[in-house]
Amino acid sequence: MSSILTNNGAMVALSTLRNISSGLAETQKEISTGLKISSAADNAAVWSISQVMRSDADGFGAISESLSLGNSTVAVARKASESITELLGNIKTQVIAAQESGNDKTKIQSEISALRDQVSSIVGAAQFKGVNLLQGSQAITVLSSLDRTADGSVSASRITVNRNDLSVTEETAGTTAVAAGALMTGTRTGSAVAGNAADPDAVVSFTSGGVELGATYTITLTGTGAAGSDTSGEQTFTYVAGESDTELSVSTALKDQMDTYISDNSLTNISTSQDGATGALTVALAGGAGTDSIDVGFTEFTGGTVDGGLSALAGMDVTTEEGAAQALTDVESLINTAIDAAASFGSTQGRISTQSDFVSSLTDSLMSGVGSLVDANMEAASARLQSLQVQQQLGIQSLSIANQSPQSILSLFR
C-alpha cells in the first residue's frame, strides 16, 4: 500500500543518515582532539581511572623536582666533605712534620691554623638553598614517592638525609639564665647527704620538654669521707644539648661522664642509676658511714654551643712535644670522621639518583598508560571517517530516492 502521509522508506533512510552523522561527528571529534575519551560523558569509568593516573603523573613530576633539589643539596655536602678530607690530609702531613724535634713548630702551627680556617670556610659555604648538611645534627627528609594502596589512599615516602657535623666549633656552656626548674629539678640536692642517712642519695630529674639546642646541664658532685667516697673537692660534669637530644640522652651523657670519673678514681661507695623512661638520675652513697657524705648540685642555662664534629682541630697545638703527640692521635680520628661523612653523603646521593631515575620511568609509564586508555587510534579513525563519509553520501542518496516515491502516486490520477 502506498501512502502520501507515511513514507516508511524515508523514515528508515533518515534514521540511518542520523546514525551516520552521529558517528561522523564522533570520529571528527576524535581526530581533532586526538582523544577517544575526552570527558566523563564518553566513558565515566575509564575517564575517572585516567584522571587519577594523570594526577599521579603530575604528582611524580613535582617529586622529581624535589629529588633534584635533594640530590643537589647532598652533592654539595659530599663535595665539601671530600675537600675537607683532603685538607685534613694536608694537616696530617704538617702534624707528622711537627714530630721532628728540629722543625720549626711555630711555623708548622701557622700552616695548620691556615688549613683549619679553610676547613671552617668550606663548612660555612657548603649550603644549597639555605640547607647546610655539615652543621648541626638534625636530619632532613626528601620527598621520594607517593604510594597508592588498593583502597585508593595515598601516603608520602621520604628519604632521610642525616647531617654530618664537620664544624670546628668547640663546646661552650650557655650563660643565659632560665627559670628554676625549667631544665632540671632535684631531690636531696644542694646540700650534703650523710652516708648513714635513711636515704643517702640525691636525684636529678630532667624537665619534660626542656631540652633545646644549646641548653646546658651541669651537675656537681662533692664526696667526703673515706677513700671510696672522697672526690677531692667539687667535680663538675657538663653537657650541652644538641638538636636531636632528649631528656634521656642528656641524662645518659651526664651519667657516662660521672661513671667514668667514679671508675677512674675507684670511688666504690658512690654509684649512679637512671630511670630508663624519664632519665631521672640518682647518685647514691652506698656503704658510707656517718662521716661520709655526698653533695649533688646542678645548674641550668641556655645559649650554649655544641661540639662540632672536628672540634679537636680548634685546639690543635703542635708547638709543644705533648701537643704534637696529641695532634697525631687527633688528626687520624678527624680524617676518619670526614671520610665517614663523605661516604654517608655519597651513599645517600646514590640512593636519591636511583629513586629519581625510577620516578622518571614511572612517570613515563603512567603517561603511556593514560594514553592507551584515552588516546584515539588515528589510523582507525581515518579509515572510519572515510567509511562514514561514503555511508553519508549513500544515505543522502537513499533519502532522496525515498522522498521521490510519493510523487509516483500522481501518475495514478492522470
Side-chain angles (χ1 to χ4, degrees):
M1 183 185 77
S2 297
S3 171
I4 62 172
L5 298 178
T6 302
N7 190 335
N8 291 316
M11 287 191 292
V12 172
L14 185 60
S15 176
T16 301
L17 186 59
R18 188 181 297 113
N19 291 335
I20 292 171
S21 297
S22 176
L24 188 60
E26 184 178 344
T27 302
Q28 287 174 332
K29 185 178 75 170
E30 286 187 24
I31 293 173
S32 62
T33 62
L35 298 171
K36 64 182 178 183
I37 299 175
S38 58
S39 69
D42 297 327
N43 188 319
V46 173
W47 180 83
S48 62
I49 293 172
S50 68
Q51 288 301 107
V52 171
M53 293 176 66
R54 197 185 302 277
S55 174
D56 285 350
D58 292 340
F60 278 114
I63 289 172
S64 182
E65 294 179 4
S66 173
L67 288 168
S68 295
L69 291 175
N71 187 67
S72 298
T73 302
V74 177
V76 168
R78 176 190 57 78
K79 182 61 179 176
S81 300
E82 292 171 353
S83 298
I84 290 172
T85 301
E86 294 177 7
L87 289 172
L88 289 173
N90 295 336
I91 290 175
K92 179 179 180 179
T93 300
Q94 298 298 325
V95 169
I96 291 174
Q99 307 304 309
E100 295 291 336
S101 58
N103 290 336
D104 189 339
K105 290 183 172 56
T106 300
K107 291 182 178 179
I108 292 175
Q109 180 60 40
S110 297
E111 185 65 24
I112 290 175
S113 297
L115 291 170
R116 178 193 62 212
D117 292 343
Q118 183 59 31
V119 170
S120 295
S121 178
I122 290 175
V123 170
Q127 58 84 28
F128 184 81
K129 293 183 69 65
V131 178
N132 192 324
L133 296 175
L134 300 187
Q135 293 178 329
S137 58
Q138 191 71 40
I140 67 169
T141 58
V142 177
L143 183 63
S144 61
S145 181
L146 290 177
D147 303 329
R148 185 179 293 280
T149 59
D151 62 4
S153 60
V154 178
S155 60
S157 292
R158 302 176 185 276
I159 294 175
T160 299
V161 182
N162 293 315
R163 277 187 168 91
N164 289 270
D165 194 337
L166 296 184
S167 63
V168 186
T169 308
E170 289 185 291
E171 179 180 282
T172 56
T175 56
T176 304
V178 295
L183 305 179
M184 311 166 76
T185 57
T187 302
R188 291 181 296 279
T189 57
S191 60
V193 179
N196 62 356
D199 194 3
D201 56 23
V203 180
V204 177
S205 300
F206 299 86
T207 306
S208 178
V211 178
E212 61 180 68
L213 177 62
T216 302
Y217 304 79
T218 299
I219 294 179
T220 60
L221 172 61
T222 304
T224 60
S229 307
D230 190 3
T231 62
S232 301
E234 182 180 88
Q235 303 300 322
T236 302
F237 310 94
T238 300
Y239 184 76
V240 180
E243 291 175 304
S244 58
D245 272 314
T246 63
E247 292 84 11
L248 186 59
S249 64
V250 170
S251 171
T252 299
L254 289 167
K255 183 178 187 300
D256 288 344
Q257 292 181 41
M258 297 179 71
D259 286 347
T260 299
Y261 173 78
I262 290 170
S263 174
D264 290 346
N265 291 275
S266 302
L267 299 177
T268 55
N269 290 340
I270 302 177
S271 62
T272 67
S273 60
Q274 181 188 57
D275 187 308
T278 65
L281 191 59
T282 299
V283 182
L285 181 60
T291 55
D292 299 332
S293 70
I294 56 170
D295 187 340
V296 177
F298 64 87
T299 56
E300 45 191 338
F301 295 95
T302 58
T305 302
V306 182
D307 256 345
L310 303 182
S311 59
L313 190 58
M316 186 174 288
D317 184 359
V318 298
T319 57
T320 64
E321 295 293 335
E322 297 78 6
Q326 184 61 46
L328 187 60
T329 300
D330 290 342
V331 75
E332 289 295 335
S333 176
L334 295 173
I335 290 174
N336 287 332
T337 297
I339 289 174
D340 290 345
S344 174
F345 290 133
S347 176
T348 302
Q349 187 181 0
R351 182 183 175 190
I352 292 175
S353 296
T354 300
Q355 182 67 13
S356 182
D357 292 341
F358 168 72
V359 167
S360 179
S361 298
L362 181 58
T363 302
D364 291 343
S365 297
L366 285 171
M367 293 308 298
S368 178
V370 171
S372 66
L373 289 173
V374 302
D375 287 356
N377 186 328
M378 299 305 288
E379 292 84 356
S382 175
R384 189 162 61 252
L385 177 63
Q386 294 184 36
S387 173
L388 288 169
Q389 286 174 336
V390 171
Q391 292 180 50
Q392 186 183 46
Q393 293 174 11
L394 290 175
I396 293 172
Q397 186 69 27
S398 176
L399 180 59
S400 177
I401 294 172
N403 285 336
Q404 292 174 5
S405 294
Q407 295 180 6
S408 63
I409 299 175
L410 294 174
S411 63
L412 298 176
F413 300 95
R414 290 175 183 167

